[in-house]
Amino acid sequence: MAANYPTMKRSPLSELGRRTEPPPISWLIQLALSRPRLISLAAGFTDNESLPVEDVRGLLNGILRSRRTGQPALQYGSTQGDPVLRRLTARHIRRLDAGPASSRVYSADRLIITNGSQQLLYMVAEALCDTGDIVLVEDPTYFVYLGILQSRGLRARTVRLEKDGLDLARLEHLLVRLKRTGELRRVKLLYLVSYFQNPTAVTTRFEKKSGALEVLGKFERAAGHPIYLLEDAGYRELRFKGEDVKSSLAVKGRAERVIYTGTYSKPFATGTRVAFGLLPEPVFTAVLRIKGNHDFGTSNLLQQLLAQALATGRYDRHLVELRERYARKARIMSKALREQFPAEVEWLEPRGGMYFWARLPRRLESGPKSKLFREALANNVLYVPGELCYADDSTRVKPNREMRISFGNAVEKDIRTGVARLGAALHKLLDL
Amino acid sequence: MAANYPTMKRSPLSELGRRTEPPPISWLIQLALSRPRLISLAAGFTDNESLPVEDVRGLLNGILRSRRTGQPALQYGSTQGDPVLRRLTARHIRRLDAGPASSRVYSADRLIITNGSQQLLYMVAEALCDTGDIVLVEDPTYFVYLGILQSRGLRARTVRLEKDGLDLARLEHLLVRLKRTGELRRVKLLYLVSYFQNPTAVTTRFEKKSGALEVLGKFERAAGHPIYLLEDAGYRELRFKGEDVKSSLAVKGRAERVIYTGTYSKPFATGTRVAFGLLPEPVFTAVLRIKGNHDFGTSNLLQQLLAQALATGRYDRHLVELRERYARKARIMSKALREQFPAEVEWLEPRGGMYFWARLPRRLESGPKSKLFREALANNVLYVPGELCYADDSTRVKPNREMRISFGNAVEKDIRTGVARLGAALHKLLDL
């Protein structure tokens, strides 16, 4: 490519363009690609074997068999999303929450179909936050969300996570502090990954969702505007133990402050990337308009596919199989961890989702430049260093002795071998 | 939904959230939906009958027949897009431009797959423009693009459109003026819909693309940064008369300043919304990172589908049929216009795309509040008032006597009836 242009003194990029960093795990992905014999327990990919290839084929054949149903699937749709998929999705969430059929909270009118829940998270940030605004997050949290905040010049303030969700006393304490420093008006929302959290596998108790909404509500007058709870329920249906927990939409009288997002990527066909959000006004209208500018609507073909999966019951049947499969893989990983990891390493047994979160003894670090990470790499195994999941927050030291280890994508043999390799690395360093 | 919250004094929305307006044609869509007997010549939808239902079914069956090919299609992919689709797309554009196989300009490494070309347009605005920056646009231009600019607080400056593209003298004149007012450093790009433009059906001559790049280049030193040509080739392959024109990527030594976007929504399966951009650095890296935050990649299933359509030749075969079909519909509309419209109305015969752009005699207006629009509505026919396609630009009066009339979606009978109804409205008002 001929370079006829002189070098310019200024970058043509916008502030956002210059600011946006590469995703924190892009180097991890590169590592994995460059070493074919590597076992990655780092990837957030779903289980390949259980991807519903036959179901999707059958459903698409049904849609495309006739021109009557095939044509609309191959035509543009509306920005908000297919009415049938919205109705079935809204009903699905309402039933999970055991909400009354008459509830306006679960109305399809409040629902927007998006390209992955990631797009919903992005648009909500666009709709609510100006540069310099503050978003409250769990500590640790979903690192891709932190990328959105970084890119948009938003500040994360962290709230300690307990075994049953957010530490509400800390949440309140943080808000008091922000009020004192005059920063409360910059606080727009609290982001919760409420089911089998990525990365810790913690599920937030319903009482804590309710409590969080109450705490946020107390500070609204001082903030001068609503403060939202953004509930990311991405892993909700990947539950293989215990009972479902109601979402924050079910907290009485608070639905006006709840933005709920869920996805079909995790529980059904990952490669379709169809997801959704349920939003209160004025966020709903703002996000819908932004979606109009992003892409004026998600692929109709994919939406029809998901609507058919729900309508025919294939979605529910698939979920039963999928849960058994993830349960089995979690058991295999748990057994391997018990057998292979030093006794001083701690972890929580996940009841759903795709992750174990392991905490090392004090004298070991897990970061990208740590001895452990290099030793693991030498052993051809990859994990996500825990520190990537912690937001920058100068009010606490960033923890650096945790690992996210995923059983989502790896096959059973690789889970066993991968954990054994990690265990060998840990033993070696602890024995030094 | 219980309203337990008091009214707040401030909106929680961001500047962008508050600023973003509804799309200019949302009321047109509502009108169309509320009147089932209405014939809409306003919609930008593609031709239903020619949507490749059987092709898509066959291709998807091929992909989903085995788990070997089906699983990757239902798994997450990369943010940049499927390597095979990128390679085939880059080659496809290179061949259209008759570029040498060795050209780095058409490298798959520079290509990003997006959700509609709309997403590419949005991300380029994010990557390049800060609030208050200036984007040069054709006058008139694609109204959905104006929505992006409005939403992001960007200013459009308009350049007159001639029958073979941009008026280059006016472009230069505008840049001289912006230099004089000290605003040149706010100018980041020129947006061109270069083939069978929406709304006017004008195709930009290659020499004008080359000329535009030369003019922009002359002002870069004063601007202090690169000024890009964003070429939107969305309708390029919907050509039914004449020869293809090379894209601005083919202008020698200027590819570093060209951002090219194309789509598979228009020429193949609209409801898939798979599109792409070819971008120079540093825009490429910025947009790729932004895409990571938007959705970290377009649906793999749809990408595999398009890759197969290209690899098997079904895409090319479909294009041949599609062009015949649009040619036929354009002929029908042209004939109807000649028969039904008053002689004083002028229009350009399109050689591709989906639109006629008709200019009324001076004493008639076409706007949403005009007598003509109301009369048309009373006759149950809808067009897009031309003024919606003109950016706000205080340096000229906004034209208000044009109509965009589409033959894309309406069936042949409705094209005839719709034009007759419009013609009746025009005759009535001209005879008053």
Side-chain angles (χ1 to χ4, degrees):
Chain A
M1 214 150 102
N4 283 2
Y5 288 96
T7 307
M8 290 287 154
K9 49 188 172 181
R10 270 201 303 271
S11 163
L13 299 180
S14 66
E15 281 180 36
L16 186 147
R18 290 194 302 274
R19 187 169 48 215
T20 306
E21 291 174 358
I25 59 152
S26 53
W27 59 275
L28 273 175
I29 296 169
Q30 283 309 315
L31 265 182
L33 289 176
S34 65
R35 297 179 171 223
R37 290 177 50 226
L38 193 84
I39 292 176
S40 176
L41 302 176
F45 281 28
T46 52
D47 180 63
N48 278 326
E49 285 303 315
S50 55
L51 287 167
V53 176
E54 293 77 17
D55 277 347
V56 168
R57 186 174 164 217
L59 292 166
L60 286 170
N61 269 311
I63 294 164
L64 298 167
R65 184 163 299 135
S66 77
R67 293 198 68 84
R68 188 183 55 79
T69 55
Q71 275 175 19
L74 296 186
Q75 185 53 273
Y76 289 117
S78 74
T79 300
Q80 189 177 356
D82 179 63
V84 178
L85 179 60
R86 284 192 288 110
R87 190 164 46 74
L88 293 173
T89 300
R91 192 180 67 180
H92 184 62
I93 305 304
R94 178 175 62 74
R95 286 181 175 171
L96 285 175
D97 276 356
S102 61
S103 172
R104 289 231 39 246
V105 171
Y106 305 92
S107 163
D109 296 344
R110 305 175 71 234
L111 198 140
I112 299 175
I113 303 293
T114 59
N115 302 318
S117 47
Q118 182 74 13
Q119 189 189 25
L120 195 277
L121 299 180
Y122 193 87
M123 294 191 296
V124 166
E126 285 187 286
L128 288 176
C129 302
D130 292 304
T131 308
D133 276 355
I134 293 170
V135 175
L136 311 178
V137 298
E138 296 159 302
D139 206 29
T141 186
Y142 175 43
F143 53 74
V144 185
Y145 187 68
L146 295 177
I148 295 177
L149 304 188
Q150 188 281 323
S151 161
R152 306 195 63 78
L154 308 178
R155 293 177 289 164
R157 285 294 173 269
T158 60
V159 182
R160 202 174 70 120
L161 194 57
E162 301 178 303
K163 280 182 180 156
D164 61 350
L166 220 53
D167 182 333
L168 292 180
R170 298 275 187 121
L171 173 65
E172 181 144 13
H173 180 76
L174 171 61
L175 288 163
V176 167
R177 191 149 45 87
L178 290 167
K179 185 177 174 187
R180 205 158 49 219
T181 59
E183 294 177 288
L184 203 54
R185 63 179 191 85
R186 305 310 299 263
V187 177
K188 295 296 181 62
L189 71 147
L190 164 65
Y191 173 66
L192 289 191
V193 185
S194 52
Y195 298 88
F196 321 112
Q197 194 225 28
N198 180 356
T200 61
V202 163
T203 291
T204 304
R205 255 196 314 136
F206 181 70
E207 290 71 23
K208 286 209 156 178
K209 297 178 188 178
S210 163
L213 280 163
E214 201 178 318
V215 172
L216 296 177
K218 282 204 281 184
F219 289 85
E220 286 195 350
R221 193 174 299 272
H225 57 242
I227 304 176
Y228 293 94
L229 172 60
L230 170 53
E231 177 164 13
D232 180 345
Y235 297 90
R236 182 172 190 176
E237 302 196 74
L238 298 192
R239 173 176 46 79
F240 43 77
K241 254 188 209 160
E243 293 296 310
D244 185 46
V245 174
K246 288 187 189 183
S247 81
S248 46
L249 291 166
V251 178
K252 279 221 169 55
R254 301 276 178 187
E256 277 177 83
R257 293 297 187 264
V258 174
I259 301 165
Y260 177 94
T261 177
T263 180
Y264 293 114
S265 304
K266 295 284 191 300
F268 194 64
T270 308
T272 57
R273 309 299 315 283
V274 174
F276 55 89
L278 266 165
L279 308 99
E281 287 294 359
V283 195
F284 172 86
T285 294
V287 167
L288 183 61
R289 289 176 183 180
I290 291 170
K291 171 86 176 161
N293 287 326
H294 269 220
D295 55 33
F296 53 83
T298 290
S299 160
N300 241 350
L301 179 61
L302 298 180
Q303 291 190 74
Q304 308 280 338
L305 167 64
L306 267 305
Q308 284 302 308
L310 290 164
T312 57
R314 292 213 199 192
Y315 177 80
D316 286 331
R317 281 203 298 280
H318 178 71
L319 257 187
V320 175
E321 282 171 47
L322 192 70
R323 286 169 173 167
E324 277 171 21
R325 182 146 185 99
Y326 279 120
R328 181 178 158 79
K329 291 176 85 173
R331 277 197 306 273
I332 288 168
M333 183 169 270
S334 176
K335 184 160 177 283
L337 290 171
R338 274 178 276 123
E339 289 170 1
Q340 307 286 346
F341 269 31
E344 303 135 282
V345 180
E346 297 167 350
W347 62 86
L348 192 75
E349 289 292 328
R351 302 164 71 85
M354 313 196 309
Y355 308 108
F356 279 79
W357 178 249
R359 184 171 292 124
L360 309 178
R362 261 184 212 291
R363 62 189 187 279
L364 264 195
E365 292 185 5
S366 64
K369 286 175 179 162
S370 66
K371 282 181 193 155
L372 176 65
F373 191 81
R374 273 178 288 155
E375 187 64 28
L377 205 58
N379 287 0
N380 266 327
V381 62
L382 213 57
Y383 63 85
V384 173
E387 61 187 85
L388 300 182
C389 308
Y390 287 94
D392 290 325
D393 183 341
S394 57
T395 65
R396 60 105 178 86
V397 176
K398 197 181 274 195
N400 63 356
R401 52 188 190 96
E402 288 151 321
M403 307 187 285
R404 190 191 81 173
I405 318 172
S406 173
F407 54 89
N409 190 247
V411 298
E412 296 180 0
K413 183 171 142 289
D414 283 353
I415 291 176
R416 287 191 198 95
T417 312
V419 170
R421 289 178 184 176
L422 259 183
L426 285 164
H427 278 294
K428 180 174 170 186
L429 292 174
L430 283 170
D431 290 349
L432 280 182
Chain B
M1 214 151 101
N4 283 2
Y5 288 96
T7 306
M8 290 289 153
K9 49 188 174 182
R10 270 202 303 272
S11 162
L13 298 180
S14 65
E15 281 180 36
L16 185 148
R18 290 195 301 274
R19 185 170 50 215
T20 305
E21 290 173 0
I25 60 152
S26 52
W27 60 275
L28 272 176
I29 296 170
Q30 283 310 315
L31 263 182
L33 288 176
S34 65
R35 296 178 170 227
R37 290 176 50 227
L38 194 84
I39 292 176
S40 175
L41 302 177
F45 280 27
T46 52
D47 180 62
N48 278 328
E49 285 302 316
S50 56
L51 288 167
V53 175
E54 293 77 15
D55 277 346
V56 169
R57 186 171 165 223
L59 293 166
L60 286 170
N61 270 313
I63 294 164
L64 298 167
R65 184 162 298 133
S66 78
R67 293 198 68 83
R68 188 183 56 80
T69 54
Q71 276 175 20
L74 296 186
Q75 185 53 272
Y76 289 117
S78 72
T79 301
Q80 189 178 355
D82 179 63
V84 178
L85 179 59
R86 284 191 289 111
R87 190 165 46 76
L88 294 172
T89 301
R91 192 180 66 180
H92 184 62
I93 305 305
R94 179 175 61 76
R95 286 180 176 170
L96 285 176
D97 275 355
S102 62
S103 173
R104 290 229 43 243
V105 171
Y106 305 92
S107 162
D109 296 343
R110 304 175 71 234
L111 198 141
I112 299 175
I113 304 293
T114 59
N115 302 319
S117 48
Q118 182 75 11
Q119 188 189 26
L120 196 278
L121 300 179
Y122 193 86
M123 294 191 297
V124 166
E126 284 187 286
L128 287 177
C129 303
D130 293 304
T131 309
D133 276 354
I134 293 170
V135 175
L136 311 178
V137 298
E138 294 159 293
D139 207 30
T141 187
Y142 174 42
F143 53 75
V144 185
Y145 187 69
L146 295 177
I148 295 178
L149 303 187
Q150 188 281 325
S151 162
R152 305 194 63 77
L154 307 178
R155 294 176 288 162
R157 286 294 172 272
T158 60
V159 182
R160 200 174 71 120
L161 193 58
E162 300 178 305
K163 278 182 182 157
D164 61 351
L166 219 54
D167 182 333
L168 292 180
R170 298 276 186 119
L171 173 65
E172 182 146 11
H173 181 76
L174 171 60
L175 287 164
V176 166
R177 189 151 43 88
L178 290 167
K179 185 177 173 186
R180 205 157 47 219
T181 59
E183 293 176 291
L184 203 52
R185 63 181 191 84
R186 305 309 301 262
V187 177
K188 296 295 181 64
L189 71 149
L190 164 65
Y191 173 67
L192 289 190
V193 185
S194 51
Y195 298 88
F196 321 113
Q197 196 227 28
N198 179 355
T200 60
V202 162
T203 292
T204 305
R205 255 197 314 137
F206 181 71
E207 291 69 22
K208 286 211 158 176
K209 298 178 190 179
S210 164
L213 279 164
E214 201 177 318
V215 172
L216 296 177
K218 282 203 282 183
F219 289 84
E220 286 196 350
R221 192 175 300 272
H225 57 243
I227 304 175
Y228 293 94
L229 172 59
L230 171 52
E231 176 165 13
D232 180 345
Y235 297 89
R236 181 173 190 175
E237 302 195 73
L238 298 191
R239 174 177 46 79
F240 43 76
K241 254 187 208 163
E243 292 297 309
D244 185 46
V245 174
K246 287 187 190 186
S247 82
S248 46
L249 291 166
V251 178
K252 280 222 169 54
R254 300 277 178 187
E256 278 176 81
R257 292 299 188 262
V258 174
I259 302 165
Y260 178 93
T261 179
T263 181
Y264 293 114
S265 303
K266 295 283 191 303
F268 193 64
T270 308
T272 59
R273 309 297 316 284
V274 174
F276 55 88
L278 265 165
L279 308 99
E281 287 294 0
V283 195
F284 171 85
T285 294
V287 167
L288 183 60
R289 290 178 182 179
I290 291 169
K291 172 85 176 162
N293 287 325
H294 269 219
D295 55 34
F296 54 84
T298 290
S299 160
N300 240 350
L301 178 62
L302 297 180
Q303 292 190 70
Q304 308 280 335
L305 166 64
L306 268 305
Q308 284 302 309
L310 289 163
T312 57
R314 291 214 198 189
Y315 177 80
D316 287 331
R317 283 203 296 279
H318 178 70
L319 257 186
V320 175
E321 283 171 46
L322 192 69
R323 285 169 174 166
E324 278 171 19
R325 180 143 188 101
Y326 279 121
R328 180 177 159 81
K329 290 176 85 174
R331 277 197 306 272
I332 288 168
M333 183 168 269
S334 177
K335 182 160 179 284
L337 290 171
R338 274 177 278 124
E339 290 170 2
Q340 306 287 346
F341 269 30
E344 304 134 284
V345 180
E346 297 168 348
W347 63 86
L348 192 75
E349 289 291 329
R351 304 165 70 85
M354 314 194 310
Y355 308 109
F356 279 79
W357 179 249
R359 184 170 294 123
L360 309 178
R362 262 185 210 291
R363 62 189 188 281
L364 262 195
E365 293 186 2
S366 64
K369 287 175 180 163
S370 66
K371 282 183 193 151
L372 176 64
F373 190 81
R374 273 177 289 155
E375 186 65 28
L377 204 57
N379 287 2
N380 266 328
V381 61
L382 213 57
Y383 62 86
V384 173
E387 62 187 83
L388 300 182
C389 308
Y390 287 94
D392 290 326
D393 183 339
S394 57
T395 64
R396 60 108 178 81
V397 176
K398 197 181 273 196
N400 63 356
R401 52 187 189 97
E402 287 150 323
M403 307 188 284
R404 191 191 79 172
I405 319 171
S406 175
F407 53 89
N409 190 247
V411 298
E412 295 180 0
K413 182 171 142 290
D414 283 354
I415 291 176
R416 288 190 199 95
T417 313
V419 170
R421 289 177 185 175
L422 259 183
L426 284 163
H427 278 294
K428 180 173 170 188
L429 292 174
L430 282 170
D431 291 348
L432 279 183

